[in-house]
Amino acid sequence: MLKIEHLKKRYKTGPWVLKDINFQVPKGEIVGLIGPSGAGKSTLIRCINRLIDPSEGQIYLQDICLSELAPKQIREQRRHIGMIFQEYALVERLSVMENVLSGRLGYLPFWRSFLRRYPQHDIENAFEYLERVSLIEHANKRADELSGGRCQRVGIARALAQEPQLLLVDEPTASLDPKTSRQIMRLIQDICREKGLPAIINIHDVPLAMQFMDRIIGLQGGEIVFDGKPEQLTEEVLTRIYGDEDWHPEKQQDEEVA
Ligand code: ADP
């Protein structure tokens, strides 16, 4: 369970970019974070994984208050947060297996992580995660030999290797074609259900969000302007969230062609 209470953020002397954010994500719930560029989505994600410091408010994962941790404790807690990135963030010259195992680095003593000497049970678990994302036969390939969809599967397996309590996912399908995007979203959805993992997914593709999310949070100007079921996302609500920015996928494609 993730709980965010009265979270506020301003960068140095700038304006408030998150203004009193409050919500909870129970086990297994997949929340899509939508909103126009500059709404504060990345800032919110970065506050949760403590890449940046919140200015005010509390963030709890299970019962640990992430927003009040000292730097060493932040590193320890961050390993419980699985991150999945738009551009996969794999080490391209390493094998698929080594990339998955790197999800364990936060758990290893320094000498083991320095030498990349993983305990046997980590290796056994990594095979299991590769099996789960249907990549077992690619375990020994270099990451840069894989297609985008497979790279994202490695990213998912690496996040699983962390044995996370929360998944934070940043635009997971932005670099993928529509069919692969749906496959990746379905995989993330299935895994969250199987493991009872809560997830927050920063997602720009509204139809995809409506298909795969349990709940949508709409951010606008640093405030939550919508928090509800995907089926409640009417045109009126989307206009409230996005203002003048266009959220129609067909129109975006037309503009790109033009
Ligand atoms: P989104 O992910 O929704 O596009 P961001 O969280 O990136 O929004 O940005 C929210 C606001 O915070 C924007 O006005 C942006 O310019 C500002 N911002 C983001 N990162 C920084 C930073 N490192 N320093 C100062 N302002 C920032």
Side-chain angles (χ1 to χ4, degrees):
M1 152 88 91
L2 174 77
K3 186 163 71 176
I4 297 185
E5 289 181 340
H6 303 296
L7 177 65
K8 297 183 188 172
K9 175 67 186 175
R10 76 198 300 185
Y11 292 97
K12 296 242 166 75
T13 54
W16 291 100
V17 296
L18 292 178
K19 307 167 188 166
D20 202 22
I21 300 291
N22 295 278
F23 66 93
Q24 299 185 3
V25 187
K27 279 184 89 175
E29 187 173 73
I30 308 175
V31 176
L33 198 57
I34 66 170
S37 180
K41 303 180 296 295
S42 311
T43 301
L44 176 55
I45 297 240
R46 281 185 280 155
C47 282
I48 298 172
N49 67 12
R50 291 301 315 272
L51 286 175
I52 56 174
D53 293 327
S55 307
E56 291 180 28
Q58 278 79 42
I59 301 167
Y60 297 92
L61 181 58
Q62 315 296 35
D63 286 327
I64 309 258
C65 186
L66 301 180
S67 41
E68 286 169 5
L69 297 176
K72 181 168 178 287
Q73 296 169 310
I74 290 175
R75 276 194 298 279
E76 277 172 19
Q77 281 304 315
R78 201 182 279 140
R79 63 193 183 190
H80 298 303
I81 301 178
M83 290 286 304
I84 297 171
F85 303 91
Q86 175 179 341
E87 297 288 348
Y88 328 122
L90 304 182
V91 183
E92 295 191 343
R93 66 187 166 76
L94 292 184
S95 71
V96 166
M97 181 53 138
E98 284 169 300
N99 270 285
V100 175
L101 280 166
S102 70
R104 298 303 301 165
L105 284 174
Y107 288 92
L108 298 186
F110 174 74
W111 70 271
R112 273 191 183 268
S113 63
F114 183 72
L115 298 172
R116 292 184 172 269
R117 291 267 300 275
Y118 296 96
Q120 186 58 29
H121 62 88
D122 283 355
I123 296 170
E124 284 160 17
N125 288 341
F127 274 115
E128 197 181 302
Y129 300 131
L130 278 175
E131 181 87 54
R132 180 63 193 85
V133 301
S134 313
L135 281 183
I136 199 82
E137 68 272 32
H138 301 282
N140 294 321
K141 280 196 181 151
R142 270 174 62 128
D144 55 7
E145 290 177 56
L146 301 184
S147 64
R150 286 184 177 150
C151 284
Q152 195 54 293
R153 286 172 187 274
V154 178
I156 294 169
R158 178 183 55 195
L160 286 179
Q162 284 178 250
E163 288 169 14
Q165 296 167 353
L166 170 71
L167 276 187
L168 291 180
V169 191
D170 188 24
E171 294 271 3
T173 61
S175 309
L176 303 175
D177 64 68
K179 183 170 172 224
T180 312
S181 297
R182 284 193 299 278
Q183 290 168 342
I184 290 293
M185 288 310 304
R186 170 127 10 244
L187 180 62
I188 294 173
Q189 185 187 48
D190 288 347
I191 285 172
C192 287
R193 298 244 193 286
E194 282 160 29
K195 298 191 174 290
L197 255 181
I200 298 183
I201 306 188
N202 183 2
I203 184 162
H204 199 72
D205 185 324
V206 171
L208 208 59
M210 291 177 78
Q211 191 178 352
F212 289 102
M213 303 296 130
D214 297 320
R215 172 179 166 199
I216 305 275
I217 290 182
L219 270 188
Q220 154 77 270
E223 289 175 286
I224 294 181
V225 295
F226 174 80
D227 184 350
K229 297 267 168 218
E231 53 271 23
Q232 294 171 300
L233 271 184
T234 58
E235 291 233 356
E236 182 265 319
V237 172
L238 283 163
T239 306
R240 193 187 334 145
I241 298 169
Y242 282 97
D244 291 336
E245 187 177 313
D246 204 348
W247 45 269
H248 288 92
E250 312 83 39
K251 285 198 189 163
Q252 279 170 14
Q253 275 168 14
D254 288 351
E255 279 164 17
E256 277 161 23
V257 171

